Amino acid sequence: MKNLVFLLVALGLGGCANKSLVRFEKVSKAATSQDFRRAIAEIRKDPGLYGSHSQLLYHMDLGILYHYAGFYDSSLVELEKAKRIEDELFTRSISNEAASFLTNDNIRPYRGKPYEVVLMGVFQAFNYLALGKTDDALVEARQLQIYVDERKRKAGDDAESYADDGLYRTLAALAYESAGQRDDALISLYQAVKAYRTHGKDVPPGLGRYAAQAFAANGREEDIQTLKLDPPAPPSEHEPVFGNSEIVLVGETGKAPMLDQTVFWGTWVRDGMLVVHWKGPDGEMTEALPAPGLPASELKKASKGKPTRSGTTFHIKFAMPSYKAVPSQARHVVLAVDGQGSAQSETYADTEDLLKRYLDETHTRLLVRTVIRVVLRTIASEKTKSTLQTDNPLLNLALNIGTDVLADQLEQADARTWFLLPRHIELARLAVPPGTYNLQAAAKDAQGRVLSQKDFTDVTVKPRQKKFVFLPAWQ
Amino acid sequence: MSPFAARPAYRRETSALYPFRRAAGIFVPALAAMVAFTGCSTKVTRVSHDSTIDLSGRWNDTDSRLTAEEMVKDCLNGAWYNKYMVAQKTPTVIVGEIRNKSHEHIATETFITDIERALINSGKVEFVANKGERDQIRDEKSDQAGNASVETRQMSGEESGAQLMMIGSLNSIVDKEGGKSVVFYQINLELVEIETHKKVWIGDKKIKKFVERSSTSM
């Protein structure tokens, strides 16, 4: 009976269903229609959607929604809270970690995936740049430098590990350049190209040309060779040049993917049947097969009129997080400046790629945790069943199934993720002389159809400044 | 039976669940203790404004105040000061931009205020309002020009111009491994003659902190 009580308590601790889908349902409608204020109101109205273990996610979600809505000050506050929580979570609670082995990973505080932590810093830097605070954006860049240095140290020779980020390095390069710190800007440009190369990604063509031109103009030709960049060519009209002013449109297009769970369970009703069930993002399948009969030892007991294990069950369930794509329409952004031409964006970050890489990187570790958890829980439920066993096979079956259902509810994959991120982060860069301009920004789908537009009036660009403007298109 | 006697063999648990039960025996009281501790209410203790309290290892009010006091003292003991005093001119100073080039969001306004306070309290220099403050005062003067009585009205065009400007930067280097980090701050300040652009004093202050954090807690 004590074991049954334990199972019920554990169920109370960790039996909550995956709330990611509920959260998505709550905010996606408003966010898709670009009504970010309503999405913020939905979250603020119901903080229970997150719970105490997902406070990091709560502030990350609010932070990015405020950013999309153009309330950069509020976004700074929320993302700063998120960063503090992430920092404090460096210390792991032993009791909490132990409890997660008895229940599931959802009772561990959400720490954020490494690429989410980097993007949190990137969005903070975006907020500061939107407010014209370049020095503060550079503080974010330096903090990210410390973070990626630590990731690199931990990764060691593991080339597959996420230990640097091309978008963050590009952003740092532009911010350093804007602040007049040329050497820091050139080093960041080098690291940006290297980060894309290290992760087997194509260097955005505009970034490659810009870096080659910058290295050549600053006596760093060996960097061009080391990074295998094309030799610098004269920049085309309106193409940005190192050291000169430009307007950068940041397009936050599409919807980041989510996590779902892949579930396998199997029940062996002794002397009855074998049921196996599999459910993943691509569908589900259930098979029922006749189970082998009782072994000879049990048949011997039956012949003597003693109770047998007929009708008892052996049940096992695994749940692992799995990738779930979210359909998106918005793909690119276009920047047009009155009297100065226009620029099409290039992709600097793809959250689909980042999440898939994270799942590959953590698969073995997650599998080991899941196996340990499932083994511990299966032992507990088998013990519970044996203590509840009666002489009545039918009652045994009912009690066994009841215990299995209780234990079943505990097995939930940790499907938490920052799904309010955009699918792509795009940069459209246009060189302009210092002055004041009116801009038109448009988000387009893959076929070039305009999905949303935004005008910016009287945007002042100072000498050597990289002026940032933002167009969210979470659609 | 004596409590020290060995448990009879028949009572020894041999099931696979035994280690699990033992773990639960430790885990449940620990969880209860944790809940009891986290249930404590917030406690606030008032402390002296100049006491030194380091919690996170980040730049804090003590760093700001001590750095400002030490650097201003060093500045006012510089050779440049005697030159001004020989010429029987009390130098007029303004604090310009102090850039944050560190890895932390540091409220440079607080640091600038600490420098201004240390300079004024020294009594050795005269001090003028900064650009933002001057704009406010000018607004007030133009308001007075239209509304205040002639006897109380403050005149425009009588401002004291600063001869020297203090500028500088806050820099940091972080070396981190796991829960241990060494944070090194270097604060550079310069005093520049506004008329000639000559640097009359350069000073720096270095602060090194070792921060250690536990990777686990109960």
Side-chain angles (χ1 to χ4, degrees), chain A residues 2-3 6 13 80 83-84 87-88 90-95 98-99 102 128 135-136 138-140 142-143 146 150 153 179 181 376 379-380 383, chain B residues 13 15-17 20-21 24 27 30-31 34 58 97-106 172 174 176-180 213-218:
Chain A
K2 272 194 288 185
N3 295 317
F6 166 76
L13 276 173
E80 199 54 39
K83 283 174 64 188
R84 285 286 159 107
D87 187 50
E88 283 162 12
F90 172 81
T91 305
R92 286 172 192 262
S93 158
I94 293 169
S95 50
L102 304 177
Y128 283 118
D135 276 356
D136 285 295
L138 286 172
V139 169
E140 293 298 327
R142 289 185 203 104
Q143 289 179 353
I146 296 167
E150 183 67 359
R153 185 187 67 77
Q181 295 175 231
L376 279 173
I379 291 170
K383 185 70 185 171
Chain B
E13 286 202 61
S15 77
L17 197 61
F20 179 68
R21 272 191 174 164
F27 170 72
L31 193 67
M34 198 178 69
R58 295 190 187 99
E97 190 181 17
I98 295 180
R99 285 188 65 190
N100 176 15
K101 293 185 176 181
S102 77
H103 71 288
E104 289 175 36
H105 291 289
I106 292 172
S172 68
V174 180
K176 186 178 178 187
E177 185 170 324
K180 293 177 184 170
R213 291 199 298 175
S214 170
S215 59
T216 54
S217 74
M218 276 315 291

Coordinates of all heavy atoms in Angstrom, one line a residue, chain A residues 2-3 6 13 80 83-84 87-88 90-95 98-99 102 128 135-136 138-140 142-143 146 150 153 179 181 376 379-380 383, chain B residues 13 15-17 20-21 24 27 30-31 34 58 97-106 172 174 176-180 213-218:
Chain A
K2 N 2.0 1.2 0.8 CA 2.9 2.3 0.8 C 3.4 2.7 -0.6 O 3.6 3.8 -0.9 CB 4.1 2.0 1.7 CG 3.9 2.3 3.2 CD 5.1 2.3 4.0 CE 5.7 0.9 4.2 NZ 6.9 0.9 5.0
N3 N 3.7 1.6 -1.4 CA 4.1 1.9 -2.7 C 3.1 2.6 -3.6 O 3.4 3.4 -4.4 CB 4.5 0.5 -3.4 CG 5.7 -0.1 -2.6 OD1 6.7 0.6 -2.3 ND2 5.6 -1.4 -2.4
F6 N 3.1 6.1 -2.7 CA 4.3 6.7 -3.3 C 4.0 7.1 -4.7 O 4.3 8.2 -5.2 CB 5.5 5.8 -3.2 CG 6.6 6.2 -4.1 CD1 7.4 7.3 -3.7 CD2 6.9 5.6 -5.3 CE1 8.4 7.8 -4.5 CE2 7.9 6.1 -6.1 CZ 8.7 7.1 -5.7
L13 N 3.5 15.1 -8.1 CA 4.7 15.9 -8.3 C 5.0 16.1 -9.8 O 5.3 17.2 -10.2 CB 5.9 15.3 -7.7 CG 6.2 15.5 -6.2 CD1 7.3 14.6 -5.7 CD2 6.5 17.0 -5.9
E80 N 16.3 40.3 -19.1 CA 17.3 40.4 -18.0 C 16.9 39.5 -16.8 O 17.7 38.8 -16.2 CB 17.4 41.9 -17.5 CG 18.7 42.2 -16.7 CD 20.0 41.8 -17.4 OE1 20.0 42.0 -18.7 OE2 20.9 41.3 -16.8
K83 N 17.8 36.1 -17.9 CA 19.2 35.8 -17.8 C 19.7 35.6 -16.3 O 20.5 34.8 -16.1 CB 20.0 37.0 -18.4 CG 19.9 37.0 -19.9 CD 20.5 38.2 -20.5 CE 22.0 38.3 -20.2 NZ 22.6 39.6 -20.6
R84 N 19.1 36.3 -15.4 CA 19.4 36.1 -14.0 C 19.0 34.7 -13.6 O 19.8 34.1 -12.9 CB 18.7 37.2 -13.1 CG 19.3 38.6 -13.2 CD 20.6 38.6 -12.5 NE 21.5 39.7 -12.9 CZ 21.7 40.8 -12.2 NH1 21.2 41.0 -11.0 NH2 22.5 41.8 -12.7
D87 N 21.4 32.2 -14.9 CA 22.6 32.3 -14.2 C 22.5 31.5 -12.9 O 23.4 30.8 -12.5 CB 23.0 33.7 -14.0 CG 24.4 33.9 -13.4 OD1 25.3 33.3 -14.0 OD2 24.6 34.6 -12.4
E88 N 21.4 31.8 -12.2 CA 21.2 31.2 -10.9 C 21.1 29.6 -11.0 O 21.4 28.9 -10.1 CB 20.0 31.7 -10.1 CG 20.3 33.1 -9.6 CD 19.0 33.9 -9.3 OE1 18.0 33.3 -9.3 OE2 19.2 35.1 -9.0
F90 N 22.8 27.7 -12.5 CA 24.1 27.0 -12.6 C 24.2 26.0 -11.5 O 24.7 24.9 -11.6 CB 25.2 28.0 -12.5 CG 26.6 27.4 -12.4 CD1 27.2 26.9 -13.5 CD2 27.2 27.2 -11.1 CE1 28.5 26.3 -13.4 CE2 28.4 26.6 -11.0 CZ 29.1 26.1 -12.1
T91 N 23.6 26.4 -10.3 CA 23.6 25.5 -9.1 C 22.5 24.5 -9.3 O 21.3 25.0 -9.3 CB 23.5 26.3 -7.8 OG1 24.6 27.2 -7.8 CG2 23.7 25.4 -6.6
R92 N 22.8 23.2 -9.3 CA 21.7 22.2 -9.5 C 21.3 21.7 -8.1 O 22.2 21.4 -7.3 CB 22.2 21.1 -10.3 CG 22.3 21.5 -11.8 CD 22.9 20.4 -12.6 NE 23.2 20.9 -13.9 CZ 22.4 20.7 -15.0 NH1 21.4 20.0 -14.9 NH2 22.7 21.3 -16.2
S93 N 20.0 21.6 -7.9 CA 19.5 21.1 -6.7 C 19.5 19.5 -6.7 O 18.9 18.9 -7.6 CB 18.0 21.6 -6.5 OG 17.3 20.7 -5.6
I94 N 20.2 18.9 -5.8 CA 20.3 17.5 -5.7 C 19.0 16.8 -5.5 O 18.6 15.9 -6.2 CB 21.3 17.0 -4.6 CG1 22.7 17.5 -5.0 CG2 21.3 15.5 -4.4 CD1 23.7 17.4 -3.9
S95 N 18.2 17.4 -4.6 CA 16.8 16.8 -4.4 C 15.9 16.9 -5.6 O 15.2 15.9 -5.9 CB 16.2 17.5 -3.2 OG 16.2 18.9 -3.4
A98 N 17.1 14.3 -8.1 CA 16.7 13.0 -7.7 C 15.3 12.7 -7.9 O 14.8 11.7 -8.4 CB 17.0 12.8 -6.2
A99 N 14.5 13.8 -7.6 CA 13.0 13.7 -7.9 C 12.7 13.4 -9.3 O 11.8 12.7 -9.7 CB 12.3 14.9 -7.3
L102 N 12.6 9.9 -10.3 CA 11.5 9.2 -9.8 C 10.2 9.6 -10.6 O 9.2 8.8 -10.6 CB 11.3 9.4 -8.3 CG 12.5 9.0 -7.5 CD1 12.2 9.3 -6.0 CD2 12.9 7.6 -7.6
Y128 N 19.0 46.8 -27.2 CA 19.8 47.9 -26.9 C 20.1 48.7 -28.2 O 20.1 49.9 -28.2 CB 21.2 47.5 -26.3 CG 21.0 47.1 -24.8 CD1 21.2 45.9 -24.3 CD2 20.6 48.1 -23.9 CE1 21.1 45.6 -23.0 CE2 20.5 47.8 -22.5 CZ 20.7 46.5 -22.1 OH 20.6 46.3 -20.7
D135 N 26.9 50.8 -26.6 CA 27.8 50.3 -25.5 C 27.1 49.1 -24.7 O 27.8 48.1 -24.4 CB 28.2 51.4 -24.5 CG 29.4 52.2 -25.0 OD1 29.9 51.8 -26.1 OD2 29.7 53.2 -24.4
D136 N 25.8 49.2 -24.5 CA 25.1 48.2 -23.8 C 25.0 46.9 -24.6 O 25.1 45.8 -24.1 CB 23.8 48.7 -23.3 CG 23.9 49.6 -22.1 OD1 24.3 49.1 -21.0 OD2 23.6 50.8 -22.3
L138 N 27.2 46.0 -26.7 CA 28.5 45.4 -26.6 C 28.7 44.6 -25.3 O 29.5 43.7 -25.2 CB 29.6 46.4 -26.8 CG 29.7 46.9 -28.3 CD1 30.6 48.0 -28.4 CD2 30.1 45.7 -29.2
V139 N 28.1 45.1 -24.2 CA 28.2 44.4 -22.9 C 27.6 43.0 -23.2 O 28.1 42.0 -22.7 CB 27.4 45.1 -21.8 CG1 27.3 44.2 -20.6 CG2 28.1 46.4 -21.5
E140 N 26.4 42.9 -23.9 CA 25.8 41.6 -24.2 C 26.8 40.8 -25.0 O 26.9 39.5 -24.7 CB 24.5 41.8 -25.0 CG 23.4 42.5 -24.2 CD 22.9 41.7 -23.0 OE1 23.0 40.4 -23.0 OE2 22.6 42.3 -22.0
R142 N 30.0 40.8 -25.0 CA 31.1 40.3 -24.1 C 30.6 39.2 -23.2 O 31.3 38.2 -23.0 CB 31.6 41.5 -23.3 CG 32.4 42.5 -24.1 CD 33.1 43.6 -23.3 NE 33.3 44.7 -24.1 CZ 32.6 45.8 -24.1 NH1 31.6 46.0 -23.3 NH2 32.9 46.8 -24.9
Q143 N 29.4 39.3 -22.7 CA 28.8 38.3 -21.9 C 28.7 37.0 -22.7 O 29.0 35.9 -22.2 CB 27.4 38.7 -21.3 CG 27.6 39.7 -20.3 CD 26.2 40.2 -19.7 OE1 25.2 39.7 -20.2 NE2 26.3 41.0 -18.7
I146 N 31.9 35.2 -23.0 CA 32.3 34.4 -21.9 C 31.5 33.0 -22.0 O 32.1 32.0 -21.7 CB 32.0 35.1 -20.6 CG1 32.8 36.4 -20.4 CG2 32.2 34.2 -19.3 CD1 32.4 37.4 -19.4
E150 N 33.2 29.2 -22.5 CA 32.9 28.1 -21.5 C 32.4 26.9 -22.3 O 32.8 25.8 -22.0 CB 32.0 28.6 -20.5 CG 31.6 27.6 -19.4 CD 32.8 27.3 -18.4 OE1 33.9 27.8 -18.7 OE2 32.6 26.5 -17.5
R153 N 35.3 25.3 -24.0 CA 36.1 24.6 -23.1 C 35.5 23.2 -22.8 O 36.2 22.2 -22.8 CB 36.3 25.4 -21.8 CG 37.3 24.8 -20.8 CD 37.2 25.5 -19.5 NE 36.0 25.4 -18.8 CZ 35.6 24.3 -18.1 NH1 36.4 23.3 -18.0 NH2 34.5 24.3 -17.4
A179 N 30.8 51.2 -32.8 CA 31.4 51.9 -31.7 C 32.9 52.4 -32.0 O 33.5 52.9 -31.1 CB 31.4 51.0 -30.5
Q181 N 35.4 50.4 -32.6 CA 36.5 49.5 -32.2 C 36.8 48.5 -33.3 O 36.3 47.4 -33.4 CB 35.9 48.7 -30.9 CG 35.8 49.7 -29.8 CD 35.1 49.1 -28.5 OE1 34.2 49.5 -28.0 NE2 35.7 47.9 -28.1
L376 N 13.7 2.5 -12.8 CA 13.3 2.7 -11.4 C 11.8 2.6 -11.2 O 11.3 2.0 -10.3 CB 13.8 4.1 -10.9 CG 15.3 4.2 -10.5 CD1 15.7 5.7 -10.3 CD2 15.6 3.4 -9.3
I379 N 10.4 -0.9 -11.6 CA 10.6 -1.7 -10.3 C 9.6 -1.4 -9.3 O 9.0 -2.2 -8.7 CB 12.1 -1.5 -9.8 CG1 13.1 -2.1 -10.8 CG2 12.2 -2.1 -8.4 CD1 14.5 -1.7 -10.4
A380 N 9.4 -0.1 -9.1 CA 8.4 0.4 -8.1 C 7.0 -0.1 -8.4 O 6.3 -0.6 -7.5 CB 8.4 1.9 -8.0
K383 N 6.7 -3.9 -7.8 CA 6.6 -4.2 -6.4 C 5.2 -3.9 -5.9 O 4.6 -4.7 -5.1 CB 7.7 -3.4 -5.7 CG 7.8 -3.7 -4.2 CD 8.4 -5.1 -4.0 CE 8.4 -5.4 -2.5 NZ 8.7 -6.8 -2.3
Chain B
E13 N 15.6 -7.2 3.8 CA 14.9 -7.0 2.5 C 15.9 -7.4 1.4 O 17.0 -6.9 1.4 CB 14.5 -5.6 2.4 CG 13.3 -5.2 3.2 CD 12.6 -4.0 2.7 OE1 12.1 -4.1 1.5 OE2 12.5 -3.0 3.4
S15 N 14.6 -7.6 -1.8 CA 13.9 -7.3 -3.1 C 14.7 -6.2 -3.8 O 15.5 -5.5 -3.3 CB 12.5 -6.8 -2.8 OG 12.6 -5.5 -2.4
A16 N 14.4 -6.2 -5.1 CA 15.1 -5.2 -6.0 C 14.7 -3.8 -5.6 O 15.4 -2.8 -5.9 CB 14.7 -5.4 -7.4
L17 N 13.6 -3.7 -4.9 CA 13.1 -2.4 -4.5 C 13.8 -1.8 -3.2 O 13.7 -0.6 -2.9 CB 11.6 -2.5 -4.1 CG 10.8 -1.2 -4.1 CD1 10.9 -0.5 -5.5 CD2 9.4 -1.4 -3.7
F20 N 15.9 1.3 -3.6 CA 15.0 2.3 -4.0 C 14.3 2.9 -2.7 O 14.2 4.1 -2.6 CB 14.0 1.7 -5.0 CG 13.0 2.7 -5.5 CD1 13.4 3.8 -6.3 CD2 11.7 2.6 -5.1 CE1 12.4 4.7 -6.7 CE2 10.7 3.4 -5.5 CZ 11.1 4.5 -6.3
R21 N 13.9 2.0 -1.8 CA 13.3 2.4 -0.6 C 14.3 3.2 0.3 O 13.9 4.2 0.9 CB 12.8 1.2 0.2 CG 11.4 0.7 -0.2 CD 11.0 -0.3 0.8 NE 9.6 -0.7 0.6 CZ 9.1 -1.7 1.1 NH1 9.8 -2.5 1.8 NH2 7.8 -2.0 0.9
A24 N 14.6 6.5 -1.0 CA 13.4 7.3 -0.7 C 13.4 7.8 0.8 O 13.0 8.9 1.1 CB 12.1 6.5 -1.0
F27 N 15.6 10.7 0.7 CA 15.0 11.7 -0.2 C 13.8 12.5 0.4 O 13.8 13.7 0.4 CB 14.6 11.1 -1.5 CG 13.9 12.0 -2.4 CD1 14.5 13.1 -3.1 CD2 12.5 11.8 -2.6 CE1 13.7 13.9 -3.9 CE2 11.8 12.6 -3.4 CZ 12.4 13.7 -4.1
A30 N 14.7 14.9 3.2 CA 15.5 16.0 2.6 C 14.5 17.0 1.9 O 14.7 18.2 2.1 CB 16.5 15.5 1.7
L31 N 13.6 16.4 1.2 CA 12.6 17.2 0.5 C 11.8 18.0 1.5 O 11.5 19.2 1.3 CB 11.7 16.3 -0.3 CG 10.8 17.0 -1.3 CD1 11.7 17.6 -2.4 CD2 9.8 16.0 -1.9
M34 N 13.8 20.8 2.9 CA 14.0 21.9 1.8 C 12.7 22.7 1.8 O 12.8 23.9 1.7 CB 14.2 21.2 0.5 CG 14.8 22.1 -0.5 SD 15.0 21.2 -2.1 CE 13.4 20.9 -2.6
R58 N 29.5 40.7 -8.8 CA 29.4 41.7 -9.9 C 29.9 43.0 -9.3 O 30.0 43.2 -8.1 CB 28.0 41.8 -10.4 CG 27.5 40.5 -11.1 CD 26.2 40.8 -11.8 NE 25.7 39.5 -12.3 CZ 24.8 38.8 -11.7 NH1 24.2 39.2 -10.5 NH2 24.4 37.6 -12.2
E97 N 32.1 61.8 -20.6 CA 31.6 60.4 -20.8 C 32.6 59.4 -20.2 O 33.8 59.5 -20.4 CB 31.4 60.2 -22.3 CG 30.7 58.9 -22.5 CD 30.5 58.5 -24.0 OE1 31.2 59.1 -24.8 OE2 29.7 57.7 -24.3
I98 N 32.0 58.5 -19.4 CA 32.8 57.4 -19.0 C 32.2 56.1 -19.6 O 31.1 55.8 -19.2 CB 32.9 57.3 -17.4 CG1 33.6 58.6 -16.9 CG2 33.5 56.0 -16.9 CD1 33.8 58.7 -15.5
R99 N 32.9 55.6 -20.5 CA 32.3 54.5 -21.3 C 32.4 53.1 -20.6 O 33.5 52.8 -20.0 CB 33.0 54.4 -22.7 CG 32.5 55.5 -23.6 CD 33.0 55.2 -25.0 NE 32.4 54.0 -25.6 CZ 32.8 53.5 -26.7 NH1 33.8 54.0 -27.4 NH2 32.2 52.4 -27.2
N100 N 31.4 52.4 -20.7 CA 31.4 51.0 -20.1 C 31.8 50.0 -21.1 O 31.1 49.7 -22.1 CB 30.0 50.7 -19.6 CG 29.9 49.3 -19.1 OD1 30.9 48.6 -18.8 ND2 28.7 48.8 -18.9
K101 N 33.1 49.6 -21.0 CA 33.6 48.6 -22.0 C 33.8 47.2 -21.3 O 34.6 46.4 -21.6 CB 34.9 49.1 -22.5 CG 34.8 50.3 -23.4 CD 36.2 50.6 -24.0 CE 36.1 51.8 -25.0 NZ 37.4 52.0 -25.6
S102 N 33.0 47.0 -20.2 CA 33.1 45.8 -19.4 C 32.1 44.8 -19.9 O 31.4 45.0 -20.9 CB 32.9 46.1 -17.9 OG 31.5 46.2 -17.7
H103 N 32.0 43.7 -19.2 CA 31.1 42.6 -19.6 C 29.8 42.7 -18.8 O 29.0 41.8 -18.8 CB 31.8 41.2 -19.4 CG 31.9 40.9 -17.9 ND1 32.8 41.5 -17.1 CD2 31.2 40.0 -17.1 CE1 32.7 41.0 -15.9 NE2 31.8 40.1 -15.9
E104 N 29.7 43.7 -18.0 CA 28.5 43.9 -17.1 C 27.8 45.2 -17.5 O 28.4 46.2 -17.8 CB 28.9 43.9 -15.6 CG 29.3 42.6 -15.1 CD 29.8 42.8 -13.6 OE1 29.2 43.5 -12.9 OE2 30.8 42.1 -13.3
H105 N 26.5 45.2 -17.2 CA 25.7 46.4 -17.4 C 25.9 47.2 -16.1 O 25.4 46.9 -15.1 CB 24.2 46.1 -17.6 CG 24.0 45.5 -18.9 ND1 24.1 46.2 -20.1 CD2 23.6 44.2 -19.3 CE1 23.8 45.4 -21.1 NE2 23.5 44.2 -20.7
I106 N 26.8 48.2 -16.2 CA 27.1 49.0 -15.0 C 26.5 50.4 -15.2 O 26.6 51.0 -16.3 CB 28.7 49.1 -14.9 CG1 29.3 47.7 -14.6 CG2 29.1 50.2 -13.9 CD1 30.8 47.7 -14.6
S172 N 36.9 45.2 -18.4 CA 37.0 44.0 -17.6 C 37.5 42.9 -18.4 O 37.4 42.8 -19.6 CB 35.6 43.6 -17.0 OG 34.8 43.3 -18.1
V174 N 37.5 38.5 -18.0 CA 36.9 37.4 -17.2 C 37.6 36.1 -17.6 O 37.7 35.8 -18.8 CB 35.4 37.3 -17.4 CG1 34.9 36.2 -16.6 CG2 34.7 38.6 -17.0
K176 N 37.1 32.2 -16.8 CA 36.1 31.4 -16.2 C 36.3 29.9 -16.5 O 36.7 29.6 -17.6 CB 34.7 31.8 -16.7 CG 33.6 31.1 -16.0 CD 32.2 31.6 -16.5 CE 31.1 30.9 -15.8 NZ 29.8 31.2 -16.3
E177 N 36.1 29.1 -15.5 CA 36.1 27.6 -15.7 C 35.1 27.0 -14.7 O 35.3 27.1 -13.5 CB 37.5 27.0 -15.6 CG 37.5 25.6 -15.9 CD 38.9 25.0 -16.0 OE1 39.8 25.7 -16.5 OE2 39.0 23.8 -15.6
G178 N 34.0 26.5 -15.3 CA 33.0 25.9 -14.4 C 32.5 26.9 -13.4 O 32.1 28.0 -13.9
G179 N 32.5 26.6 -12.2 CA 31.9 27.5 -11.2 C 32.9 28.5 -10.6 O 32.6 29.3 -9.8
K180 N 34.1 28.5 -11.2 CA 35.2 29.5 -10.7 C 35.4 30.5 -11.8 O 35.5 30.2 -13.0 CB 36.5 28.7 -10.4 CG 36.3 27.8 -9.2 CD 37.6 27.0 -9.0 CE 37.5 26.0 -7.9 NZ 38.6 25.1 -7.8
R213 N 31.4 29.5 -7.3 CA 30.0 29.1 -7.1 C 29.9 27.6 -7.0 O 30.5 26.9 -7.8 CB 29.1 29.6 -8.2 CG 29.0 31.1 -8.2 CD 27.8 31.5 -9.1 NE 27.9 31.1 -10.5 CZ 27.0 31.3 -11.4 NH1 25.9 31.8 -11.0 NH2 27.2 31.0 -12.6
S214 N 29.0 27.1 -6.1 CA 28.8 25.7 -6.0 C 27.9 25.2 -7.1 O 27.0 25.9 -7.5 CB 28.1 25.4 -4.6 OG 27.7 24.0 -4.6
S215 N 28.3 24.0 -7.7 CA 27.4 23.5 -8.8 C 26.2 22.7 -8.3 O 25.4 22.4 -9.0 CB 28.3 22.7 -9.7 OG 28.8 21.6 -9.0
T216 N 26.2 22.4 -7.0 CA 25.1 21.7 -6.4 C 24.6 22.3 -5.1 O 25.3 23.0 -4.4 CB 25.5 20.2 -6.1 OG1 26.6 20.2 -5.3 CG2 25.7 19.4 -7.4
S217 N 23.3 22.0 -4.8 CA 22.7 22.4 -3.5 C 21.7 21.3 -3.2 O 21.4 20.5 -4.0 CB 22.0 23.7 -3.6 OG 20.8 23.6 -4.3
M218 N 21.3 21.3 -1.9 CA 20.2 20.4 -1.6 C 18.9 20.9 -2.0 O 17.9 20.2 -2.1 CB 20.2 20.2 0.0 CG 21.2 19.1 0.5 SD 21.3 17.6 -0.5 CE 19.7 16.9 -0.1

